[in-house]
Amino acid sequence: MNAIVSNNKALLLLSIVLLTVLVHTSHVKCALEVNLTDSYIYVKGSDFEVQISKVGGIISYKLGGVVAVAKTSPYVRSSDKKYSKFITDFFAPVENPKVEKFEGGIRIITHSKCDVPDHSLFLECITVYEVYESGAILVNHTIRAWKDTPYDYVAVRMRITTDMYGGATFVGYLGTKKVLEIELPKEYPGKKTLSKTAFGIASVVMPNTKVSLLFVMINPPAPSKVEIWDERKWKRPYFISIIRVSGRTLPSKSLAKGDEGTITYLLFPHMRGEEFNSKAISVLQKQTSVYDYIASIKEIAKSEKAKEALAKAEELVNVVLKAVCMGEVDLASDYVNKAYEYARSAYRTESTLFGIRYIVIPLVAYFVVFAIIAWRLLKRYREMKIKS
């Protein structure tokens, strides 16, 4: 789903506030403000502010001054089932965060680890956040074992506030199929579990407003298990999605020393309304189909012309996600449509050459051979007739 494009740039060491961070200083356009403290990184845009823990987790996301998303990060439950926490609550930083600007956004890299021998948890987490001026956040966690680590499960837990999204429609998709549609209750309904349906994409929209949220699991695109809880059961003002990734991009029950897995997702609270979510979801679903189409054509592409068309298709399809993150869904749609056309062109080229190579040429050869044989038979027949 499908990955964050790595960008090797020159870094300059600076001391800012109470942290030493690496900040890219080339002249790129970025309207975001970044402030650092000893524990957090704050990124502020035109209508949003996000607070990120330096151990690798979102603490809060304010939209229009109101908290829309609360603590969101990987969550680990120990194999003995006696220790369950967000990594923000028990990991410790290994090094100071790295921060760099890119065109239209800020990239933040954190590195942390845990050492919990009583529950056999020995993990480290490297997280890359790409925060866009649009308000979108693309997140990639790499979880690695620095010592053999069994666990019960690993998940991403995402909290959204009941104040912002109580009464909203929550729609979930798995691939191209809608698998879930519920209303998030305005008042606590007397039970914690609102859904047990697994989804990879979620659209949350408040009726008659522009208040919305787009959430996309990119890796893995299909989690092993998902539950939505109403945390007002414990007097906490949140709806929480528990998205299990163990058994997908991470092994089901343990990581051996040196082994790792990745979790990638897009989190995008916004005031663009339901139409934006619908367009973005359609584009991302089509992107996945085009990726598969390109992969299938690669297996048969032999000619340079077909390979060139496929290269152009890959170049375009790889920037679709970035366009969505920038809030440019129409541009993203244009990219994915052009990528499909290039892939289709490659297929037509290869099909034509295949026909020439395996049908036309053999047929021509057959008719040539047939004509030669017929000519020889006719010649022999004439010679025999003359003799007689």
Side-chain angles (χ1 to χ4, degrees):
M1 148 273 300
N2 326 103
I4 295 179
V5 179
S6 117
N7 202 352
N8 295 322
K9 297 181 178 178
L11 296 176
L12 179 65
L13 191 63
L14 295 176
S15 177
I16 301 180
V17 192
L18 299 176
L19 288 176
T20 300
V21 297
L22 292 173
V23 182
H24 183 256
T25 57
S26 66
H27 298 292
V28 296
K29 294 180 181 179
C30 178
L32 299 177
E33 297 178 14
V34 181
N35 295 303
L36 304 162
T37 70
D38 56 349
S39 300
Y40 305 109
I41 305 160
Y42 295 87
V43 181
K44 188 175 183 180
S46 59
D47 64 348
F48 73 93
E49 182 177 20
V50 60
Q51 178 187 6
I52 297 172
S53 167
K54 68 178 184 178
V55 305
I58 294 171
I59 302 302
S60 73
Y61 185 115
K62 291 181 180 180
L63 183 62
V66 180
V67 177
V69 179
K71 188 178 292 184
T72 298
S73 85
Y75 185 96
V76 182
R77 186 182 188 187
S78 64
S79 58
D80 60 12
K81 302 181 182 181
K82 296 179 179 180
Y83 194 89
S84 304
K85 289 188 177 185
F86 287 92
I87 69 166
T88 51
D89 295 333
F90 73 103
F91 275 52
V94 172
E95 57 184 325
N96 290 324
K98 300 173 183 177
V99 181
E100 62 181 8
K101 293 181 180 180
F102 61 87
E103 195 76 18
I106 294 285
R107 184 176 296 108
I108 300 165
I109 304 172
T110 62
H111 184 191
S112 60
K113 69 186 293 186
C114 73
D115 184 359
V116 189
D118 290 347
H119 300 281
S120 302
L121 294 175
F122 310 101
L123 300 169
E124 62 179 322
C125 182
I126 298 171
T127 302
V128 180
Y129 293 96
E130 290 191 346
V131 185
Y132 289 79
E133 291 175 356
S134 64
I137 306 178
L138 190 60
V139 186
N140 184 77
H141 303 287
T142 299
I143 297 177
R144 181 184 302 123
W146 56 273
K147 189 175 178 180
D148 290 355
T149 298
Y151 45 74
D152 183 43
Y153 72 82
V154 179
V156 170
R157 289 198 171 196
M158 175 183 67
R159 278 177 170 157
I160 62 176
T161 61
T162 54
D163 287 344
M164 178 71 85
Y165 296 107
T169 300
F170 190 112
V171 180
Y173 298 84
L174 202 55
T176 58
K177 185 180 179 181
K178 182 195 288 188
V179 293
L180 171 68
E181 184 169 352
I182 60 172
E183 180 181 312
L184 298 177
K186 293 181 180 180
E187 305 293 334
Y188 177 59
K191 61 177 183 179
K192 74 168 185 180
T193 304
L194 303 178
S195 171
K196 290 186 177 181
T197 302
F199 59 83
I201 300 175
S203 171
V204 186
V205 179
M206 282 294 291
N208 305 315
T209 74
K210 293 291 186 179
V211 176
S212 310
L213 180 141
L214 176 66
F215 179 81
V216 182
M217 284 299 299
I218 298 166
N219 189 30
S224 54
K225 183 179 179 180
V226 180
E227 291 188 52
I228 303 173
W229 291 354
D230 191 326
E231 291 197 295
R232 285 175 291 192
K233 175 180 174 65
W234 300 282
K235 310 299 181 184
R236 295 193 289 263
Y238 310 118
F239 302 111
I240 188 167
S241 296
I242 305 161
I243 304 160
R244 293 199 187 190
V245 296
S246 46
R248 294 292 191 265
T249 53
L250 286 159
S252 296
K253 292 295 180 181
S254 66
L255 272 175
K257 179 181 178 180
D259 287 351
E260 64 182 39
T262 59
I263 310 165
T264 308
Y265 52 90
L266 169 63
L267 179 67
F268 196 172
H270 60 85
M271 302 288 285
R272 300 164 189 256
E274 183 176 6
E275 184 180 1
F276 177 88
N277 279 7
S278 297
K279 286 183 177 180
I281 290 168
S282 176
V283 165
L284 292 172
Q285 289 171 336
K286 189 169 183 179
Q287 181 196 34
T288 300
S289 298
V290 173
Y291 269 126
D292 293 340
Y293 187 46
I294 290 171
S296 67
I297 298 171
K298 270 187 171 182
E299 295 179 359
I300 63 170
K302 305 295 183 184
S303 68
E304 286 304 315
K305 187 176 179 180
K307 289 178 180 178
E308 286 175 8
L310 280 180
K312 291 178 180 177
E314 286 188 305
E315 182 181 345
L316 286 167
V317 80
N318 284 335
V319 295
V320 169
L321 178 60
K322 183 171 183 178
V324 171
C325 291
M326 293 168 64
E328 301 288 348
V329 288
D330 291 334
L331 179 62
S333 180
D334 186 49
Y335 284 155
V336 78
N337 288 333
K338 286 182 179 178
Y340 173 77
E341 288 304 319
Y342 275 118
R344 181 68 179 163
S345 174
Y347 174 77
R348 286 195 297 264
T349 298
E350 206 57 42
S351 296
T352 300
L353 292 174
F354 180 88
I356 293 172
R357 189 182 301 123
Y358 296 106
I359 299 175
V360 176
I361 292 176
L363 277 175
V364 170
Y366 170 79
F367 283 117
V368 168
V369 171
F370 179 80
I372 291 171
I373 293 172
W375 177 78
R376 287 180 176 177
L377 287 172
L378 181 60
K379 182 180 179 183
R380 186 175 179 185
Y381 170 76
R382 287 174 177 174
E383 289 174 349
M384 291 175 64
K385 190 174 181 181
I386 292 171
K387 289 179 181 179
S388 63

